[in-house]
Amino acid sequence: MSARLLLPLLAATALTVPTVADDHAAAWRLFIADHTRPVVTALDLETGDALATFQLASPATLYATDGVVVAVQGAGNQISAIDSGIAVDDHGDHGDITISDPELIDAVLTGEKPAHFVEHGSKAAMFFDGSGLISLFNAQQWAHEGKLAATQLDSGTSHHGVAIPWGAHTLTSSANADDEKKPRIGLNILDADGNLVGDTHVCPDLHGEATSGNMAIIGCSDGVLIASGSGEPQITKLSYDGLPAGKSTTFLGGVGMQYFLGNYGADKVAIIDPTEAAPFRLVDLPTRRVHFAIDPAQPKFAYIFTEDGQLNQLDIVSGKITQSLAVTEPYSMDGEWSLPRPRIAVAGKVVAVSDPNAGEVHLIDIASFTATRSIPVAGAPYNIVAVGGSGSVH
C-alpha cells in the first residue's frame, strides 16, 4: 500500500502533542466495562490504582474520543458520557495538558436499544436499533459542558443499523421494513432535515463501518462501500471479486496513514486501501481473531488478539505479522458471540489486554513486545478503552 501521511488526526487513544514548555507531563487512563455488571472502572495506567467506579444502567460497550468515554448501554436503553479527566489543548507549536478526576456526566441520552456509536468530524451519531432513530450530537460538549443537545433523524424502520455523520449529511443503513427480520439492504444519504438524497446505494447485509481521514468504509456481503468527498458524499463500491469466500463485517480506520483494517472470515484480516488498483490484501492469522486495534502513535502497526491467547503485531505496510506473544490462556471462538473474551486497547507505548476469566488487565510494552505486569480488576473486565497523552503544564 502507499504510505500517505495525513494531516495529524487527533485520536482519543493518542493525544500526544509536541511541547516546549518548562514542565512536561504525561498521563494515561484505562476505562474498563465489566461483562455482566453495569460498572465501568477507571484505572491509572502508571500506578494501576482504581481512580473511580461508575454505576450504569446495564453492562456497556465503550468508545473513546478526544478525552471522552462514551458508554453505550444496549440493555439499559441509554448512553452515558464520562469525562476522562485528561485534556490536551493544542496551541500549534505545543499543547497544554490538564489532568483532573474522571467524572460521570449526569445528562444521559435515552432511546430503544442503542447499538452503534460513530464520530466523524465534530459530530457523533448514535443509532437506536429498536426504533431506527438516529441522534446527532457533540460528544465533547456533552462531557465537558454537561450539555446534551441532540438532533434526531429517522432511518425509516427499526433494524440493527448504523449512521455516520458527514458534515451537513448523514449516512445511514436502510432495511426492508416489510420483512419482519428487517434485513439490511443498502445505504442512504440524508440531508440536515432527514430527507433522502439520491437513491439507495445497494449494500446487502450491511454491517460494519469506520472512518479514516476523509473516507468512510461500510461493509456489504458482496464488497465494501467507500464514501469520500466534501459536501454531499460520493459513494463507490469495491467488489470482493477474485478473493476467497468471505466478507468483512468489522472495520478500523487508520490514523496517520489512510487505510482500513477489517476482519475477513474467521482467521484472516483484510488491509484495504481504496486508492490502490488491488485494494484488498488478506493476511492469514495463526488462529481465529478475537479482537483488534490500531496504534495511533505508530501508524504502521495494528494489534490482533487471537483465540490461542496470543497478541500479534501486524505491520500494515508489509502486510506481515512481525511479533507474537502469549498473553492469556486460550479463549475459543466457539459458542455464543457474547461470551466474555479479551479486548485490547493501545495506551501510548503499551497495549492493554483485558482477561475476563482471570479478572486482570495485562500490559505489554510495545518496544520490547514483552508483558510487563498485570492489574487485577474485580469481576470480569471486558470492554476496554485508553485515554491519555502528554503536554505542557503551566
Side-chain angles (χ1 to χ4, degrees), residues 6-218:
L6 303 177
L7 292 175
L9 302 176
L10 186 62
T13 51
L15 303 180
T16 305
V17 292
T19 178
V20 295
D22 295 334
D23 297 316
H24 185 270
W28 283 91
R29 289 171 178 173
L30 300 175
F31 291 81
I32 304 154
D34 192 85
H35 183 260
T36 57
R37 298 181 301 145
V39 171
V40 172
T41 301
L43 297 180
D44 181 277
L45 181 64
E46 182 176 1
T47 65
D49 294 339
L51 302 174
T53 300
F54 303 113
Q55 296 290 329
L56 303 176
S58 71
T61 300
L62 303 181
Y63 300 85
T65 170
D66 288 358
V68 178
V69 177
V70 176
V72 178
Q73 301 144 69
N77 293 324
Q78 76 174 34
I79 303 94
S80 300
I82 300 171
D83 185 342
S84 70
I86 299 177
V88 176
D89 187 12
D90 183 7
H91 291 288
D93 62 341
H94 73 282
D96 293 341
I97 188 169
T98 303
I99 304 170
S100 58
D101 293 334
E103 179 185 6
L104 178 65
I105 304 304
D106 291 334
V108 296
L109 182 63
T110 59
E112 190 176 354
K113 294 183 181 178
H116 284 117
F117 168 89
V118 179
E119 188 177 51
H120 183 247
S122 61
K123 287 183 182 179
M126 188 70 239
F127 193 95
F128 294 90
D129 287 0
S131 63
L133 297 178
I134 303 160
S135 288
L136 302 172
F137 54 92
N138 183 298
Q140 280 65 45
Q141 185 182 45
W142 180 13
H144 301 317
E145 301 177 18
K147 299 176 182 178
L148 180 55
T151 300
Q152 196 170 82
L153 303 178
D154 192 343
S155 71
T157 188
S158 60
H159 65 283
H160 182 51
V162 68
I164 305 171
W166 199 272
H169 296 82
T170 302
L171 310 177
T172 183
S173 53
S174 173
N176 184 349
D178 297 327
D179 187 326
E180 65 179 11
K181 295 183 179 180
K182 303 293 176 66
R184 298 172 298 276
I185 58 176
L187 182 76
N188 284 336
I189 301 174
L190 305 181
D191 65 17
D193 296 320
N195 299 313
L196 180 64
V197 177
D199 298 325
T200 297
H201 299 272
V202 176
C203 182
D205 300 327
L206 183 153
H207 193 280
E209 54 64 42
T211 61
S212 179
N214 62 351
M215 286 187 180
I217 193 170
I218 301 98

Side-chain angles (χ1 to χ4, degrees), residues 362-392:
H362 307 292
L363 303 182
I364 291 84
D365 176 72
I366 292 173
S368 62
F369 219 69
T370 58
T372 56
R373 60 193 171 109
S374 297
I375 303 173
V377 180
Y382 183 44
N383 281 297
I384 182 171
V385 295
V387 180
S390 64
S392 308

Side-chain angles (χ1 to χ4, degrees), residues 212-357:
S212 179
N214 62 351
M215 286 187 180
I217 193 170
I218 301 98
C220 316
S221 62
D222 56 355
V224 298
L225 296 180
I226 301 295
S228 60
S230 57
E232 180 183 336
Q234 304 302 305
I235 309 296
T236 57
K237 194 168 200 176
L238 303 177
S239 170
Y240 291 142
D241 289 349
L243 298 180
K247 62 180 180 178
S248 295
T249 57
T250 302
F251 300 93
L252 300 173
V255 176
M257 294 193 302
Q258 192 163 50
Y259 73 93
F260 298 98
L261 181 65
N263 65 324
Y264 197 84
D267 59 358
K268 294 179 178 62
V269 292
I271 302 169
I272 306 167
D273 184 345
T275 67
E276 294 290 329
F280 299 96
R281 287 185 296 150
L282 300 186
V283 180
D284 290 318
L285 302 176
T287 55
R288 290 176 291 186
R289 177 193 65 91
V290 176
H291 196 234
F292 55 178
I294 62 168
D295 189 334
Q298 300 182 83
K300 78 170 188 173
F301 289 130
Y303 304 94
I304 306 165
F305 188 86
T306 46
E307 65 176 347
D308 55 1
Q310 300 242 26
L311 181 68
N312 305 276
Q313 184 184 62
L314 172 65
D315 186 315
I316 297 295
V317 177
S318 69
K320 298 183 182 299
I321 292 176
T322 53
Q323 301 188 85
S324 296
L325 176 70
V327 178
T328 74
E329 294 297 315
Y331 276 83
S332 173
M333 288 301 290
D334 290 335
E336 293 293 326
W337 67 268
S338 58
L339 290 174
R341 299 182 178 95
R343 296 291 184 263
I344 61 179
V346 182
K349 301 177 181 179
V350 170
V351 178
V353 180
S354 67
D355 189 348
N357 287 349

